[in-house]
Amino acid sequence: MKAHSRTFTLRKLPLFLVPVLALAQVPHRPATHKSASRSSKPAAHARAAAGAQSLTSPAVTRRVNELMSKLTFSQKVQLLSGYESMFTHPIPAQDLPAIKMSDASVGVRVWGPSTAYPASVALAATWDPALAYRAGRSVGRDARARGVNIVLGPGMDLTREPQCGRNFEYLGEDPTLAGRMAVAWVRGIQSQGVAACSKHYAGNEQETNRMTVNTIIGKRALEELYLAPFRDVIEEGHSMTIMPAYNKLNGLYCTASPYLLDTMLRQHWGFEGVAMSDWGAVHDTLGPLNAGLDLEMPGDRYFNRKAIDPLLSSGDLTVDTIDQHVRRLLRVMVAMGWLDRPQKIASIPLNDPTSAATALQEEREAIVLLKNKNGVLPLNRSRLHTIVVVGPNATPAITGGGGSSFTTPIVKPVSMLQAIRRAAGAGVKVIDLPYPLSLTPPHMWPPSPNQAPATLPPFTSQQTAEIRNADAVIACVGPRESEGVDRPFNMPGQQNQYLHEVGSLNPRTIVVVNAGSNVGMSPWIHQVSGLLYAWYPGENGNTAVADALFGRLNPSGKLPDSFEKHWKDAAAYGNYPGKNDTVNFKEGIYMGYRWFDSKHIAPRFPFGFGLSYTTFAIRHMSVADHGQGAGRVIDVNADVTNTGKRAGAEVVQLYVRPLNSSVERTFQQLRDFARVQLAPGQTRRVHLRLPWQAFAYYNTGHSDWEVPAGSYTLALGSSSRDIAATKNVSWTSTLKQPEFRPQFAEHATVTPPPSALLRSALHGAWRITQTTVGNQTSSTCNFDLDGNNLSGSCTGPTGQKQSIKGTASGDTATWVAHVHFGRRDLLLLYKAQAQSANSMKGTLQIPAYDVKGTFTGSRQ
Ligand code: BGC
């Protein structure tokens, strides 16, 4: 961008600036609780992103070094912020392209119509990580077809309460399930040369006041629940980017939290990629940059030269910090290959049949059958004459929830009414009773979850007769859910009363719900015979729902959440949505089924539950114990048999239950699962595996994971409350986490100490000779090093004496000179490396003039 201004720059450069006039550079690093080297883990993230080079490979580092040496300071600062909402800044002078982004939780939505996939919660309901990988791969291909580099997903906040308007974009209430599905999705995306952006990190479990709310979560619940899927997606999924959320976590905005961005993300999990803010989630320049936020999106409100320069000159911010942020972005760009090939692959069709097939398969596996009284389902076409279809979601097609994920389908979506007509065939009369109140579709913006308070008109006598005489009534209903706002527990628009009336006219009523989580069902659940959760089905998923109704498909999804009977039963009741802009997760680790099970409250439908048109048996559970201590692995095997008459899939779930634990534990935790497809009569053996972490809890006293000595029941079943077999194992002695993990501390950051060579050099008197745009001048400096802090003074050719302060860490020292030139305040940025105790060399930059220079130093 500055290429054209270079001539101007050279002519105008004030030559007197060449002397060294170093100014203070006090690192605004919060107190370090514990100076420590990294854990044995850090390379984990950098190591193995599928479809990309390692972020820290020597080849990537060399290329990044080259780019860094060419970039001017202004260009570096430009790289720290977004451009035109969905890009990073292009730097044409250095051949750096703009990095193109798109939301993609349920389809690549930003760049025109695209395959609209089912909601993420539907993917979670499949409990099928192999399918999640394929779904990610399809979205990755859709992204390549549109030249998109980064997709803004997956969403991994947990379903703490059903009201959260974005639950449909997330992966349920359990961290093991959410983490497993997210890891697979991210690997699929990144296998296509597209980076995933895991979001919203962290504590964004509600949309009410999401821009400002202070979420208070204790450290045990953070480690065991809310951060766990993010840890998995970084350590195992190698997500290249992550999105700090809008809200505050424990008092600090997520975008300015050293705990989130440095302690957990980089020190614990070894993240080497880019942390980019949610859109408009930055509120300051200094805090976020020092905490570890690399990229402000969507624009440069805070990450710009005007805001950054004074912070450099006051020493609150260091050049090194800016460089680290830029390096991270460059590393991702280089490692992903974005600098070496076009991102767009024109041969991938925009309307890719592979994507459509994947979207359909997701919905086919996601549908959860919750109630099937007297075998009302599947509907038997040969015995049906008339079906009545009612409810606001029958037509037009509902494909997704509202907000930034909403993807305009690339094909004309199929409505439930159309899908039912097709599946019913010509021999069945399908009567459509339009919903009497007007409800906007869920994806309307701004969202209106509370709409249509009007009273329901009574059915006409003809309608009453049609409902009463029908062989079956299919009621298509759901809340109005969208980003930016939460919705009530009960569905809006009098749907409860409507279902109550329809159900009392005809008990052969089957309810199909589109939602991201539970809804109030008390007024009607006992009056209807069937209940199917369809989530949001994407562009073609209603055909799968109709297939499930008519038995062409055997529903096999399982709930990724617990469904409470009443809102007052839930763990978050009384502590949601908070008061005075603060929400306190007082239930701690007792969230979802952990709450219902431990407090002996019966949910309406338990976590992991889902019926089928066939039956299964889980038998012959066996346990094989290998290794010891942290090397111990327990293999759990069992036979699963389809004991019914139809093909179907069962999800075998393995829960660990601490027995008489000496420390507070929840009743059970899901630790592994497997989905198996079985023909009638078929048996398959499933293999599940428990490492030591499956037994561990987070000990807040020691800030460490620990397996308390004692007995544990391994419970194997088809839901959290339908256990087929159990075995006990024990840990004879307590196991503490064998790896180093830094102290839990809100503000801990660790700056590596200066190298021995740098320490031997940075003291005493020096002569610094520098060359900038062909001019050479010298000055005399005195350096003094204390820990990471560099101080001293310099006297330039004009005789003016300036004190200097800076930072030294590893092999590099940096300091800033602040010079007044006429009415301008100019910065000179220095970066030095020692050759020996008596010589150093380095570079300097004068950002205002966009020029660079070099210098050498020799001991006096
Ligand atoms: C949402 C993010 C989304 C971003 C860009 C924000 O409002 O919270 O999830 O990726 O917008 O569309």
mmCIF file with all atom_site columns, all heavy atoms in Angstrom, residues 86 103 109 152 166 199-200 210 243 246 278-279 404 483, ligand 1:
data_model
loop_
_atom_site.group_PDB
_atom_site.id
_atom_site.type_symbol
_atom_site.label_atom_id
_atom_site.label_alt_id
_atom_site.label_comp_id
_atom_site.label_asym_id
_atom_site.label_entity_id
_atom_site.label_seq_id
_atom_site.pdbx_PDB_ins_code
_atom_site.Cartn_x
_atom_site.Cartn_y
_atom_site.Cartn_z
_atom_site.occupancy
_atom_site.B_iso_or_equiv
_atom_site.pdbx_formal_charge
_atom_site.auth_seq_id
_atom_site.auth_comp_id
_atom_site.auth_asym_id
_atom_site.auth_atom_id
_atom_site.pdbx_PDB_model_num
ATOM   1   N N   . MET A 1 86  ? -14.948 -8.938  5.882  1.00 0.00 ? 86  MET A N   1
ATOM   2   C CA  . MET A 1 86  ? -14.675 -10.391 5.847  1.00 0.00 ? 86  MET A CA  1
ATOM   3   C C   . MET A 1 86  ? -13.289 -10.722 5.280  1.00 0.00 ? 86  MET A C   1
ATOM   4   O O   . MET A 1 86  ? -13.080 -11.826 4.770  1.00 0.00 ? 86  MET A O   1
ATOM   5   C CB  . MET A 1 86  ? -15.747 -11.105 5.017  1.00 0.00 ? 86  MET A CB  1
ATOM   6   C CG  . MET A 1 86  ? -17.025 -11.342 5.764  1.00 0.00 ? 86  MET A CG  1
ATOM   7   S SD  . MET A 1 86  ? -16.924 -12.714 6.957  1.00 0.00 ? 86  MET A SD  1
ATOM   8   C CE  . MET A 1 86  ? -18.293 -12.302 8.030  1.00 0.00 ? 86  MET A CE  1
ATOM   9   N N   . ASP A 1 103 ? -18.732 -16.966 7.422  1.00 0.00 ? 103 ASP A N   1
ATOM   10  C CA  . ASP A 1 103 ? -19.394 -17.804 8.418  1.00 0.00 ? 103 ASP A CA  1
ATOM   11  C C   . ASP A 1 103 ? -19.679 -19.140 7.768  1.00 0.00 ? 103 ASP A C   1
ATOM   12  O O   . ASP A 1 103 ? -19.891 -19.211 6.548  1.00 0.00 ? 103 ASP A O   1
ATOM   13  C CB  . ASP A 1 103 ? -20.693 -17.143 8.884  1.00 0.00 ? 103 ASP A CB  1
ATOM   14  C CG  . ASP A 1 103 ? -20.389 -15.999 9.827  1.00 0.00 ? 103 ASP A CG  1
ATOM   15  O OD1 . ASP A 1 103 ? -19.784 -16.267 10.873 1.00 0.00 ? 103 ASP A OD1 1
ATOM   16  O OD2 . ASP A 1 103 ? -20.707 -14.851 9.492  1.00 0.00 ? 103 ASP A OD2 1
ATOM   17  N N   . ARG A 1 109 ? -21.810 -19.079 4.138  1.00 0.00 ? 109 ARG A N   1
ATOM   18  C CA  . ARG A 1 109 ? -22.992 -18.243 3.924  1.00 0.00 ? 109 ARG A CA  1
ATOM   19  C C   . ARG A 1 109 ? -22.725 -16.867 3.321  1.00 0.00 ? 109 ARG A C   1
ATOM   20  O O   . ARG A 1 109 ? -23.652 -16.248 2.822  1.00 0.00 ? 109 ARG A O   1
ATOM   21  C CB  . ARG A 1 109 ? -23.755 -18.084 5.228  1.00 0.00 ? 109 ARG A CB  1
ATOM   22  C CG  . ARG A 1 109 ? -23.149 -17.162 6.263  1.00 0.00 ? 109 ARG A CG  1
ATOM   23  C CD  . ARG A 1 109 ? -23.810 -15.813 6.381  1.00 0.00 ? 109 ARG A CD  1
ATOM   24  N NE  . ARG A 1 109 ? -23.033 -14.992 7.295  1.00 0.00 ? 109 ARG A NE  1
ATOM   25  C CZ  . ARG A 1 109 ? -23.002 -13.681 7.256  1.00 0.00 ? 109 ARG A CZ  1
ATOM   26  N NH1 . ARG A 1 109 ? -23.691 -13.029 6.364  1.00 0.00 ? 109 ARG A NH1 1
ATOM   27  N NH2 . ARG A 1 109 ? -22.265 -13.015 8.120  1.00 0.00 ? 109 ARG A NH2 1
ATOM   28  N N   . LEU A 1 152 ? -15.682 -19.421 9.690  1.00 0.00 ? 152 LEU A N   1
ATOM   29  C CA  . LEU A 1 152 ? -15.882 -18.989 11.074 1.00 0.00 ? 152 LEU A CA  1
ATOM   30  C C   . LEU A 1 152 ? -16.755 -20.001 11.815 1.00 0.00 ? 152 LEU A C   1
ATOM   31  O O   . LEU A 1 152 ? -17.933 -19.816 12.018 1.00 0.00 ? 152 LEU A O   1
ATOM   32  C CB  . LEU A 1 152 ? -16.493 -17.591 11.091 1.00 0.00 ? 152 LEU A CB  1
ATOM   33  C CG  . LEU A 1 152 ? -15.700 -16.572 10.257 1.00 0.00 ? 152 LEU A CG  1
ATOM   34  C CD1 . LEU A 1 152 ? -16.435 -15.239 10.182 1.00 0.00 ? 152 LEU A CD1 1
ATOM   35  C CD2 . LEU A 1 152 ? -14.300 -16.385 10.816 1.00 0.00 ? 152 LEU A CD2 1
ATOM   36  N N   . ARG A 1 166 ? -28.594 -19.243 20.329 1.00 0.00 ? 166 ARG A N   1
ATOM   37  C CA  . ARG A 1 166 ? -27.633 -19.816 19.389 1.00 0.00 ? 166 ARG A CA  1
ATOM   38  C C   . ARG A 1 166 ? -27.318 -21.274 19.681 1.00 0.00 ? 166 ARG A C   1
ATOM   39  O O   . ARG A 1 166 ? -26.375 -21.805 19.115 1.00 0.00 ? 166 ARG A O   1
ATOM   40  C CB  . ARG A 1 166 ? -26.336 -19.017 19.448 1.00 0.00 ? 166 ARG A CB  1
ATOM   41  C CG  . ARG A 1 166 ? -26.336 -17.844 18.535 1.00 0.00 ? 166 ARG A CG  1
ATOM   42  C CD  . ARG A 1 166 ? -24.982 -17.169 18.484 1.00 0.00 ? 166 ARG A CD  1
ATOM   43  N NE  . ARG A 1 166 ? -24.433 -17.263 17.156 1.00 0.00 ? 166 ARG A NE  1
ATOM   44  C CZ  . ARG A 1 166 ? -23.397 -16.558 16.734 1.00 0.00 ? 166 ARG A CZ  1
ATOM   45  N NH1 . ARG A 1 166 ? -22.773 -15.740 17.562 1.00 0.00 ? 166 ARG A NH1 1
ATOM   46  N NH2 . ARG A 1 166 ? -22.953 -16.677 15.498 1.00 0.00 ? 166 ARG A NH2 1
ATOM   47  N N   . LYS A 1 199 ? -15.172 -21.099 17.827 1.00 0.00 ? 199 LYS A N   1
ATOM   48  C CA  . LYS A 1 199 ? -15.777 -19.946 18.491 1.00 0.00 ? 199 LYS A CA  1
ATOM   49  C C   . LYS A 1 199 ? -16.868 -20.404 19.441 1.00 0.00 ? 199 LYS A C   1
ATOM   50  O O   . LYS A 1 199 ? -17.305 -21.541 19.355 1.00 0.00 ? 199 LYS A O   1
ATOM   51  C CB  . LYS A 1 199 ? -16.330 -18.981 17.436 1.00 0.00 ? 199 LYS A CB  1
ATOM   52  C CG  . LYS A 1 199 ? -17.538 -19.518 16.647 1.00 0.00 ? 199 LYS A CG  1
ATOM   53  C CD  . LYS A 1 199 ? -17.877 -18.618 15.484 1.00 0.00 ? 199 LYS A CD  1
ATOM   54  C CE  . LYS A 1 199 ? -19.174 -19.047 14.824 1.00 0.00 ? 199 LYS A CE  1
ATOM   55  N NZ  . LYS A 1 199 ? -19.516 -18.230 13.639 1.00 0.00 ? 199 LYS A NZ  1
ATOM   56  N N   . HIS A 1 200 ? -17.406 -19.607 20.352 1.00 0.00 ? 200 HIS A N   1
ATOM   57  C CA  . HIS A 1 200 ? -16.962 -18.269 20.751 1.00 0.00 ? 200 HIS A CA  1
ATOM   58  C C   . HIS A 1 200 ? -16.293 -18.449 22.095 1.00 0.00 ? 200 HIS A C   1
ATOM   59  O O   . HIS A 1 200 ? -16.957 -18.801 23.062 1.00 0.00 ? 200 HIS A O   1
ATOM   60  C CB  . HIS A 1 200 ? -18.149 -17.315 20.852 1.00 0.00 ? 200 HIS A CB  1
ATOM   61  C CG  . HIS A 1 200 ? -18.979 -17.307 19.606 1.00 0.00 ? 200 HIS A CG  1
ATOM   62  N ND1 . HIS A 1 200 ? -20.073 -18.125 19.419 1.00 0.00 ? 200 HIS A ND1 1
ATOM   63  C CD2 . HIS A 1 200 ? -18.856 -16.595 18.451 1.00 0.00 ? 200 HIS A CD2 1
ATOM   64  C CE1 . HIS A 1 200 ? -20.596 -17.914 18.231 1.00 0.00 ? 200 HIS A CE1 1
ATOM   65  N NE2 . HIS A 1 200 ? -19.877 -16.988 17.615 1.00 0.00 ? 200 HIS A NE2 1
ATOM   66  N N   . ARG A 1 210 ? -25.070 -10.184 25.227 1.00 0.00 ? 210 ARG A N   1
ATOM   67  C CA  . ARG A 1 210 ? -23.815 -10.880 24.898 1.00 0.00 ? 210 ARG A CA  1
ATOM   68  C C   . ARG A 1 210 ? -22.629 -9.941  24.699 1.00 0.00 ? 210 ARG A C   1
ATOM   69  O O   . ARG A 1 210 ? -21.485 -10.343 24.862 1.00 0.00 ? 210 ARG A O   1
ATOM   70  C CB  . ARG A 1 210 ? -23.994 -11.729 23.641 1.00 0.00 ? 210 ARG A CB  1
ATOM   71  C CG  . ARG A 1 210 ? -24.209 -10.920 22.371 1.00 0.00 ? 210 ARG A CG  1
ATOM   72  C CD  . ARG A 1 210 ? -24.070 -11.792 21.142 1.00 0.00 ? 210 ARG A CD  1
ATOM   73  N NE  . ARG A 1 210 ? -24.473 -11.055 19.949 1.00 0.00 ? 210 ARG A NE  1
ATOM   74  C CZ  . ARG A 1 210 ? -24.220 -11.437 18.721 1.00 0.00 ? 210 ARG A CZ  1
ATOM   75  N NH1 . ARG A 1 210 ? -23.563 -12.537 18.502 1.00 0.00 ? 210 ARG A NH1 1
ATOM   76  N NH2 . ARG A 1 210 ? -24.622 -10.721 17.703 1.00 0.00 ? 210 ARG A NH2 1
ATOM   77  N N   . MET A 1 243 ? -11.796 -17.751 17.893 1.00 0.00 ? 243 MET A N   1
ATOM   78  C CA  . MET A 1 243 ? -12.487 -16.455 17.984 1.00 0.00 ? 243 MET A CA  1
ATOM   79  C C   . MET A 1 243 ? -12.872 -16.141 19.429 1.00 0.00 ? 243 MET A C   1
ATOM   80  O O   . MET A 1 243 ? -13.854 -16.690 19.949 1.00 0.00 ? 243 MET A O   1
ATOM   81  C CB  . MET A 1 243 ? -13.753 -16.474 17.122 1.00 0.00 ? 243 MET A CB  1
ATOM   82  C CG  . MET A 1 243 ? -14.452 -15.134 17.045 1.00 0.00 ? 243 MET A CG  1
ATOM   83  S SD  . MET A 1 243 ? -16.085 -15.249 16.243 1.00 0.00 ? 243 MET A SD  1
ATOM   84  C CE  . MET A 1 243 ? -15.642 -15.588 14.553 1.00 0.00 ? 243 MET A CE  1
ATOM   85  N N   . TYR A 1 246 ? -17.654 -12.109 22.523 1.00 0.00 ? 246 TYR A N   1
ATOM   86  C CA  . TYR A 1 246 ? -18.050 -10.736 22.873 1.00 0.00 ? 246 TYR A CA  1
ATOM   87  C C   . TYR A 1 246 ? -17.993 -10.473 24.376 1.00 0.00 ? 246 TYR A C   1
ATOM   88  O O   . TYR A 1 246 ? -17.593 -9.410  24.824 1.00 0.00 ? 246 TYR A O   1
ATOM   89  C CB  . TYR A 1 246 ? -19.498 -10.492 22.445 1.00 0.00 ? 246 TYR A CB  1
ATOM   90  C CG  . TYR A 1 246 ? -19.704 -10.278 20.969 1.00 0.00 ? 246 TYR A CG  1
ATOM   91  C CD1 . TYR A 1 246 ? -20.559 -11.098 20.243 1.00 0.00 ? 246 TYR A CD1 1
ATOM   92  C CD2 . TYR A 1 246 ? -19.069 -9.235  20.307 1.00 0.00 ? 246 TYR A CD2 1
ATOM   93  C CE1 . TYR A 1 246 ? -20.771 -10.890 18.892 1.00 0.00 ? 246 TYR A CE1 1
ATOM   94  C CE2 . TYR A 1 246 ? -19.281 -9.025  18.954 1.00 0.00 ? 246 TYR A CE2 1
ATOM   95  C CZ  . TYR A 1 246 ? -20.132 -9.857  18.251 1.00 0.00 ? 246 TYR A CZ  1
ATOM   96  O OH  . TYR A 1 246 ? -20.325 -9.647  16.915 1.00 0.00 ? 246 TYR A OH  1
ATOM   97  N N   . ASP A 1 278 ? -14.283 -11.675 17.837 1.00 0.00 ? 278 ASP A N   1
ATOM   98  C CA  . ASP A 1 278 ? -15.610 -11.669 17.233 1.00 0.00 ? 278 ASP A CA  1
ATOM   99  C C   . ASP A 1 278 ? -15.839 -10.257 16.691 1.00 0.00 ? 278 ASP A C   1
ATOM   100 O O   . ASP A 1 278 ? -15.156 -9.293  17.078 1.00 0.00 ? 278 ASP A O   1
ATOM   101 C CB  . ASP A 1 278 ? -16.694 -12.069 18.243 1.00 0.00 ? 278 ASP A CB  1
ATOM   102 C CG  . ASP A 1 278 ? -17.973 -12.539 17.527 1.00 0.00 ? 278 ASP A CG  1
ATOM   103 O OD1 . ASP A 1 278 ? -18.132 -12.247 16.318 1.00 0.00 ? 278 ASP A OD1 1
ATOM   104 O OD2 . ASP A 1 278 ? -18.821 -13.182 18.171 1.00 0.00 ? 278 ASP A OD2 1
ATOM   105 N N   . TRP A 1 279 ? -16.803 -10.133 15.806 1.00 0.00 ? 279 TRP A N   1
ATOM   106 C CA  . TRP A 1 279 ? -16.998 -8.891  15.044 1.00 0.00 ? 279 TRP A CA  1
ATOM   107 C C   . TRP A 1 279 ? -17.436 -7.729  15.969 1.00 0.00 ? 279 TRP A C   1
ATOM   108 O O   . TRP A 1 279 ? -18.571 -7.715  16.453 1.00 0.00 ? 279 TRP A O   1
ATOM   109 C CB  . TRP A 1 279 ? -18.015 -9.131  13.947 1.00 0.00 ? 279 TRP A CB  1
ATOM   110 C CG  . TRP A 1 279 ? -17.412 -9.604  12.645 1.00 0.00 ? 279 TRP A CG  1
ATOM   111 C CD1 . TRP A 1 279 ? -17.706 -9.076  11.400 1.00 0.00 ? 279 TRP A CD1 1
ATOM   112 C CD2 . TRP A 1 279 ? -16.448 -10.644 12.411 1.00 0.00 ? 279 TRP A CD2 1
ATOM   113 N NE1 . TRP A 1 279 ? -16.967 -9.742  10.442 1.00 0.00 ? 279 TRP A NE1 1
ATOM   114 C CE2 . TRP A 1 279 ? -16.185 -10.696 11.026 1.00 0.00 ? 279 TRP A CE2 1
ATOM   115 C CE3 . TRP A 1 279 ? -15.750 -11.511 13.240 1.00 0.00 ? 279 TRP A CE3 1
ATOM   116 C CZ2 . TRP A 1 279 ? -15.277 -11.581 10.460 1.00 0.00 ? 279 TRP A CZ2 1
ATOM   117 C CZ3 . TRP A 1 279 ? -14.841 -12.405 12.679 1.00 0.00 ? 279 TRP A CZ3 1
ATOM   118 C CH2 . TRP A 1 279 ? -14.622 -12.426 11.313 1.00 0.00 ? 279 TRP A CH2 1
ATOM   119 N N   . SER A 1 404 ? -25.878 -14.829 11.911 1.00 0.00 ? 404 SER A N   1
ATOM   120 C CA  . SER A 1 404 ? -24.760 -14.851 10.957 1.00 0.00 ? 404 SER A CA  1
ATOM   121 C C   . SER A 1 404 ? -24.520 -16.231 10.359 1.00 0.00 ? 404 SER A C   1
ATOM   122 O O   . SER A 1 404 ? -23.785 -16.360 9.393  1.00 0.00 ? 404 SER A O   1
ATOM   123 C CB  . SER A 1 404 ? -23.482 -14.364 11.632 1.00 0.00 ? 404 SER A CB  1
ATOM   124 O OG  . SER A 1 404 ? -23.170 -15.185 12.736 1.00 0.00 ? 404 SER A OG  1
ATOM   125 N N   . GLU A 1 483 ? -29.315 -15.742 16.586 1.00 0.00 ? 483 GLU A N   1
ATOM   126 C CA  . GLU A 1 483 ? -28.209 -15.032 17.197 1.00 0.00 ? 483 GLU A CA  1
ATOM   127 C C   . GLU A 1 483 ? -28.687 -13.674 17.703 1.00 0.00 ? 483 GLU A C   1
ATOM   128 O O   . GLU A 1 483 ? -29.578 -13.067 17.120 1.00 0.00 ? 483 GLU A O   1
ATOM   129 C CB  . GLU A 1 483 ? -27.130 -14.821 16.116 1.00 0.00 ? 483 GLU A CB  1
ATOM   130 C CG  . GLU A 1 483 ? -25.970 -14.004 16.579 1.00 0.00 ? 483 GLU A CG  1
ATOM   131 C CD  . GLU A 1 483 ? -24.975 -13.762 15.444 1.00 0.00 ? 483 GLU A CD  1
ATOM   132 O OE1 . GLU A 1 483 ? -24.978 -14.514 14.455 1.00 0.00 ? 483 GLU A OE1 1
ATOM   133 O OE2 . GLU A 1 483 ? -24.204 -12.798 15.572 1.00 0.00 ? 483 GLU A OE2 1
HETATM 134 C C1  . BGC B 2 .   ? -20.983 -13.589 15.386 1.00 0.00 ? 1   BGC B C1  1
HETATM 135 C C2  . BGC B 2 .   ? -19.915 -14.547 14.898 1.00 0.00 ? 1   BGC B C2  1
HETATM 136 C C3  . BGC B 2 .   ? -19.747 -14.395 13.418 1.00 0.00 ? 1   BGC B C3  1
HETATM 137 C C4  . BGC B 2 .   ? -19.407 -12.947 13.094 1.00 0.00 ? 1   BGC B C4  1
HETATM 138 C C5  . BGC B 2 .   ? -19.188 -12.678 11.597 1.00 0.00 ? 1   BGC B C5  1
HETATM 139 C C6  . BGC B 2 .   ? -20.713 -12.168 14.927 1.00 0.00 ? 1   BGC B C6  1
HETATM 140 O O1  . BGC B 2 .   ? -21.787 -11.345 15.229 1.00 0.00 ? 1   BGC B O1  1
HETATM 141 O O2  . BGC B 2 .   ? -21.060 -13.638 16.794 1.00 0.00 ? 1   BGC B O2  1
HETATM 142 O O3  . BGC B 2 .   ? -20.260 -15.864 15.223 1.00 0.00 ? 1   BGC B O3  1
HETATM 143 O O4  . BGC B 2 .   ? -18.750 -15.276 12.949 1.00 0.00 ? 1   BGC B O4  1
HETATM 144 O O5  . BGC B 2 .   ? -20.462 -12.123 13.541 1.00 0.00 ? 1   BGC B O5  1
HETATM 145 O O6  . BGC B 2 .   ? -20.353 -12.804 10.882 1.00 0.00 ? 1   BGC B O6  1
#
